[in-house]
Amino acid sequence: MSDKMFCFQCEQTAGCSGCTGKSGVCGKSAVNARLQDELTGALIGLARVCAANPKTDRTDRLILEGLFTTVTNVNFNDDTLLDMIKRVREEKASIVPGCAGCMARCGNTDDYEMSFIWEAQEDIRSLKSLILFGIRGMAAYAYHALVLGYTNKRVNEFFYKALYVLAEDWSMEDLLPVVMEVGEMNLECMELLDLANTQTFGTPVPTEVSMTVEKGPFIVITGHDLLDLKLLLEQTEGKGIHIYTHGEMLPAHAYPELKKYPHLKGNFGTAWQNQQKEFANLPAPILYTTNCLMPVKESYADRVFTTEVVSYPEMVHIGKEKDFSAVIEKALELGGFKENREFTGINGGKTLLTGFGHETVLGAADQVVEAVKSGAIRHFFLVGGCDGARPGRSYYTDFVKLAPKDTVILTLACGKYRFNDLDLGTIGALPRLMDMGQCNDAYSAIKVAIALAEAFECSVNELPLSMILSWYEQKAVCILLTLLHLGIQNIKLGPTLPAFVSKNVLELLVDHYKIAPIKTPEEDLKEILGEAL
């Protein structure tokens, strides 16, 4: 297997062009990257088999699981990737027995060689990358809904279509509609996950979350999977162990069926990219549930546990039985802090506010509309997305700090950790900073925007609303495509533009949707509000 790699799917890719050496910026090896390509090629072969042959629910789950596994910061384990490749090939063989041994091979259903995409003409490579990276992010959302018992037939069928298209020799004109269809189907997928979460855990309510860690044994749980948190809370009930969320798990505190557990105490740490520093010497185990894993440092390697598709060599993995006994035993063994420890966000704040989903915001729609009409609210800014370590992300903190006091900041995903501990005050009874939840809760922001447009009898693009987005990985790609599918314009994107977007594709996005890279907070605020600060 090659000792070189090619990967440009995340924002921090080397030189803003692609990781091509023996390891990627994310920490995965060239072998690991090649195995992820091999897995993707196997999934394409499976999808092509299913174009003319019946599949099963097992096939659907395997497609979602396989795509989710290839999202950045999920799987660094060569052995689990090899096992998944084997499972995909076995599934294909069960659907078309004897196909691989056919004497008159058609080649249409063979595993696809991903170099055909990476070495394609740059515009074709760009559009196919948008499709592939978009469905990888969407698969994560569909998988979270699936484990809660919710599926959408149209969404599931689209994964097969998109994978099939990746192996076709199509023109830009043929591929562009599929790129936009990724956005359309991701909207349905986010709606499905919103339904799954609220039906299972209740409607989120505004909740203040402490950053103080109380003395005694505790567990830190990170990622996005709310069901894993629920199971952990059930298994730790009455054991004297406190549970603290981390990263994208923060919004869990707003769900009634989760917040009812008194040992769900608060939030530890900040965004995912700070974990190597924040987890060092932590007297507690960390449970990883989704794409938030960085290469594990020796200082806390004995306290890391993974579950679902997350995997790292030599770390203890919790399988489908979801028995968290090993995590619980480690928490009791380590004992936690001897005294309460007060932590803060990056701006010194001691508490965080979350739980402003679409039900809550639209429940106050009359106040919002009146505040806009009276001039109390001049503008809304959606400042959110992925966080990361590349220099330049302080832009988002500065932007929020500089935003005038008659503006409201909506936020979501882990990018909010740049500023979510700030006290921005209120406008009337409305907080100026509203955390709408995880990255998939972009659905809430979309619902709010559409409702406000209806209230003011205008289009979303005519609202006093601007979207200032940060991106890192593939979930951000599918969300961006959803916004484009809805025709939303003038999105400002940063800290850099995606390496996989070619010059011609970028020009197309600029011409049709007025996408622009961020500049400085002062310049962008002046451009949006029409005045200097």
Side-chain angles (χ1 to χ4, degrees), residues 210-220 242-245 265-269 282-284 336-344 350:
S210 172
M211 296 187 74
T212 295
V213 177
E214 298 181 15
K215 66 180 181 180
F218 67 98
I219 296 169
V220 174
H242 298 155
I243 306 299
Y244 292 87
T245 56
K265 289 291 185 176
N267 190 77
F268 173 80
L282 189 70
F337 294 115
K338 301 300 181 184
E339 301 294 338
N340 291 359
R341 292 283 294 270
E342 191 175 79
F343 294 93
T344 67
K350 298 178 181 178

Side-chain angles (χ1 to χ4, degrees), residues 275-468:
Q275 65 189 261
Q276 292 177 329
K277 176 179 66 177
E278 293 176 344
F279 292 165
N281 305 312
L282 189 70
I286 307 104
L287 176 62
Y288 289 82
T289 67
T290 57
N291 54 305
C292 55
L293 178 64
M294 293 181 72
V296 179
K297 297 292 188 180
E298 185 178 353
S299 59
Y300 59 94
D302 64 325
R303 303 188 296 283
V304 167
F305 297 82
T306 61
T307 192
E308 289 296 346
V309 298
V310 188
S311 187
Y312 196 86
E314 299 181 9
M315 299 297 109
V316 177
H317 188 77
I318 310 299
K320 294 179 180 179
E321 72 285 354
K322 295 297 181 180
D323 180 359
F324 294 119
S325 298
V327 189
I328 293 169
E329 290 170 5
K330 180 61 72 172
L332 294 172
E333 173 194 330
L334 293 170
F337 294 115
K338 301 300 181 184
E339 301 294 338
N340 291 359
R341 292 283 294 270
E342 191 175 79
F343 294 93
T344 67
I346 66 170
N347 301 289
K350 298 178 181 178
T351 61
L352 307 171
L353 192 60
T354 190
F356 290 90
H358 58 89
E359 293 282 355
T360 295
V361 177
L362 294 180
D366 291 345
Q367 298 177 55
V368 173
V369 171
E370 180 55 36
V372 174
K373 288 182 176 179
S374 70
I377 295 178
R378 182 181 9 165
H379 207 87
F380 294 90
F381 294 106
L382 175 61
V383 186
C386 311
D387 205 0
R390 188 189 293 276
R393 288 183 179 267
S394 59
Y395 165 95
Y396 299 95
T397 310
D398 296 338
F399 186 99
V400 170
K401 287 181 176 180
L402 288 170
K405 292 184 178 180
D406 58 356
T407 63
V408 170
I409 309 296
L410 305 175
T411 190
L412 48 82
C414 64
K416 61 177 170 268
Y417 279 101
R418 293 277 169 174
F419 50 80
N420 66 341
D421 62 322
L422 291 170
D423 182 1
L424 300 184
T426 60
I427 298 178
L430 300 169
R432 282 192 58 224
L433 177 59
M434 300 186 195
D435 175 12
M436 308 190 85
Q438 297 180 341
C439 55
N440 49 280
D441 291 310
Y443 176 73
S444 278
I446 291 168
K447 289 276 286 186
V448 169
I450 291 173
L452 288 176
E454 291 173 353
F456 288 105
E457 298 182 344
C458 66
S459 72
V460 170
N461 291 318
E462 294 173 311
L463 285 171
L465 168 68
S466 300
M467 298 192 178
I468 318 295

Side-chain angles (χ1 to χ4, degrees), residues 461 465 467 483 487-491 511-515:
N461 291 318
L465 168 68
M467 298 192 178
L483 295 175
I488 294 174
Q489 298 182 352
N490 299 308
I491 296 169
D511 289 345
H512 285 77
Y513 302 102
K514 309 298 188 292
I515 286 180

